[in-house]
Amino acid sequence: MADQEETKPVLKEKTGLSGWAHRKAVGYNAAKEDMSPTPDQLKGTKAPEEYQRLVVPSKLPDSEYPLIDNDPHFKRVVGYMRPSDALVGAGMAGLTPFSLALMERVSPSYAGAGGYKSVLRVSWMVGLVAGGMMAYTRSNLRFYGHSENAREVEMDMREMVTKAKKGLPLYGESTMTEYMQGVAARNSRYSGLFMFAMPWFNFVNHNQHGVDTAKYYQQAERELEAERVDREGGAVLS
């Protein structure tokens, strides 16, 4: 009994627990030690640096239109805008000051010329930001396939095939590691769906955009082969 009482404080110091919790911890640690692989079992296994990182594919949108890019770069979204996007954005930009002027006419605030002009300038700034966000969102949603995007699909194919034929990175050069590119992609993927609450843009060149890039290289090979045939007059390779 004396020996058991002397060992209790020692066991408590090892686990920091006592009673039932201590017994569970000791049993769990013993089980872990029993399940630990022996040196013989570890022979022939790969070193940690040889393991490949598991890449979980991003979720595909349920849409009748094809996905172009689930995390398009800011420059691509602006460059792919349609004239209709600019018109809608301009209308949204003018809606705020027009509404303010209409309310001032219906129910004057009697704030004076100086006060009214200051508020009107602020309304113009709010309208411009809202109009730009509206135009950007309309263009961004076409990359996700949420609206008709036949024009954008053709533009995307043309842009990527041109880069593939020149041997350039499809989505621009990046100095970040594969892991950091994945972090950047996950931070802004499908961010356009929440643009009304938190404007969030992608300014990073990364290689994770939710599409199979093999189609670009296959089309580039077909075009290069067709150009070779036209130049040399030979047969097309299958």
Side-chain angles (χ1 to χ4, degrees):
M1 292 293 293
D3 295 338
Q4 293 179 357
E5 292 177 357
E6 291 178 357
T7 57
K8 284 183 179 179
V10 178
L11 293 174
K12 185 176 180 180
E13 290 179 1
K14 289 183 178 180
T15 61
L17 304 171
S18 61
W20 177 85
H22 168 76
R23 291 193 297 273
K24 294 291 289 185
V26 171
Y28 177 72
N29 292 333
K32 285 202 304 182
E33 292 176 359
D34 293 340
M35 291 186 295
S36 300
T38 63
D40 294 335
Q41 293 173 332
L42 291 175
K43 289 182 179 179
T45 58
K46 296 181 179 180
E49 59 271 11
E50 296 180 9
Y51 286 100
Q52 294 183 353
R53 183 178 298 277
L54 177 63
V55 178
V56 180
S58 58
K59 185 177 181 180
L60 296 177
D62 185 12
S63 174
E64 59 179 316
Y65 303 109
L67 172 68
I68 300 176
D69 193 336
N70 61 12
D71 189 25
H73 195 279
F74 180 85
K75 292 181 179 179
R76 295 193 75 198
V77 177
V78 175
Y80 280 46
M81 283 185 181
R82 298 183 180 184
S84 59
D85 299 333
L87 291 176
V88 173
M92 177 62 69
L95 180 62
T96 303
F98 174 78
S99 301
L100 179 64
L102 181 62
M103 288 188 294
E104 179 67 18
R105 186 174 184 84
V106 173
S107 179
S109 62
Y110 302 106
Y116 174 71
K117 289 181 179 179
S118 298
V119 176
L120 187 62
R121 284 194 292 268
V122 173
S123 68
W124 271 112
M125 292 298 298
V126 173
L128 289 174
V129 173
M133 296 296 297
M134 175 65 74
Y136 185 91
T137 300
R138 285 170 57 91
S139 179
N140 201 7
L141 292 180
R142 296 192 190 97
F143 281 90
Y144 301 157
H146 281 243
S147 56
E148 186 276 321
N149 58 359
R151 168 182 171 272
E152 286 70 23
V153 169
E154 183 178 354
M155 291 177 63
D156 172 72
M157 179 62 71
R158 187 73 270 142
E159 177 187 358
M160 296 304 176
V161 169
T162 301
K163 291 182 178 180
K165 292 166 67 174
K166 294 180 179 180
L168 301 175
L170 297 182
Y171 298 100
E173 296 183 0
S174 178
T175 58
M176 299 189 303
T177 62
E178 290 285 335
Y179 174 75
M180 291 307 300
Q181 291 185 48
V183 171
R186 290 187 292 273
N187 280 339
S188 55
R189 183 177 295 151
Y190 293 119
S191 60
L193 300 177
F194 207 60
M195 193 69 68
F196 65 94
M198 179 180 292
W200 199 272
F201 309 97
N202 174 33
F203 297 103
V204 178
N205 292 331
H206 60 78
N207 56 5
Q208 300 182 22
H209 294 265
V211 294
D212 185 6
T213 57
K215 60 182 179 181
Y216 303 128
Y217 293 101
Q218 293 170 357
Q219 180 63 24
E221 290 179 358
R222 287 191 288 266
E223 293 187 6
L224 289 174
E225 180 62 19
E227 293 174 2
R228 185 194 66 82
V229 171
D230 293 340
R231 184 173 59 254
E232 300 178 0
V236 178
L237 298 178
S238 57

